[in-house]
Amino acid sequence: KILTSCLKDCWQGNYAITFGNPSNSYAGKEEAETLDYIFVKEGSKVQVTVQKTSLPLEHTIPYGNISYSDHEAVETELLIEDREISSAIESQKILNKMPNENIKALALAIK
């Protein structure tokens, strides 16, 4: 909970078992749980949106019967946007929808 007070948990509540996974060859009698996370932090100039988080690898090495590790690999796909560019684009969209007389009035008010 301490980390999530300042960072975004990429699992977004949809946790997968990363340790003790029954499909993992190293899984023993340990309790299956999520121990592996990816956290991101937004800045004042960037917005970060988690697109998806998943376990990207097969549970065992191809053509083998052992797992890569006792923990599952975790990957996250992120959309990272520049807040200033996004804001400028949204402002331009709004201006494009305004009648010309409103744009002129707005320009005079800004001066």
Side-chain angles (χ1 to χ4, degrees), residues 41-61:
K41 182 176 182 179
E42 293 184 321
S44 60
K45 296 185 179 184
V46 294
Q47 177 178 340
V48 180
T49 305
V50 178
Q51 300 293 315
K52 72 175 187 174
T53 300
S54 62
L55 306 179
L57 301 176
E58 297 294 326
H59 293 290
T60 57
I61 296 171

Side-chain angles (χ1 to χ4, degrees), residues 13-102:
N14 300 314
Y15 299 99
I17 298 170
T18 62
F19 179 78
N21 191 314
S23 301
N24 188 299
S25 66
Y26 297 110
K29 296 180 182 182
E30 301 93 1
E31 182 179 338
E33 56 187 317
T34 304
L35 292 181
D36 303 277
Y37 298 84
I38 297 174
F39 293 98
V40 295
K41 182 176 182 179
E42 293 184 321
S44 60
K45 296 185 179 184
V46 294
Q47 177 178 340
V48 180
T49 305
V50 178
Q51 300 293 315
K52 72 175 187 174
T53 300
S54 62
L55 306 179
L57 301 176
E58 297 294 326
H59 293 290
T60 57
I61 296 171
Y63 310 108
N65 59 356
I66 61 169
S67 297
Y68 293 95
S69 169
D70 60 339
H71 289 252
E72 301 298 318
V74 178
E75 80 174 353
T76 293
E77 184 178 316
L78 303 171
L79 174 62
I80 301 172
E81 298 176 285
D82 183 313
R83 288 185 192 269
E84 292 172 359
I85 291 173
S86 295
S87 178
I89 290 170
E90 287 304 313
S91 295
Q92 189 61 45
K93 286 180 185 176
I94 291 168
L95 288 175
N96 288 341
K97 292 179 183 177
M98 292 177 80
N100 283 338
E101 60 272 5
N102 290 357

Side-chain angles (χ1 to χ4, degrees), residues 4-21:
T4 56
S5 67
C6 59
L7 301 171
K8 185 183 295 187
D9 176 2
C10 291
W11 284 115
Q12 301 179 86
N14 300 314
Y15 299 99
I17 298 170
T18 62
F19 179 78
N21 191 314

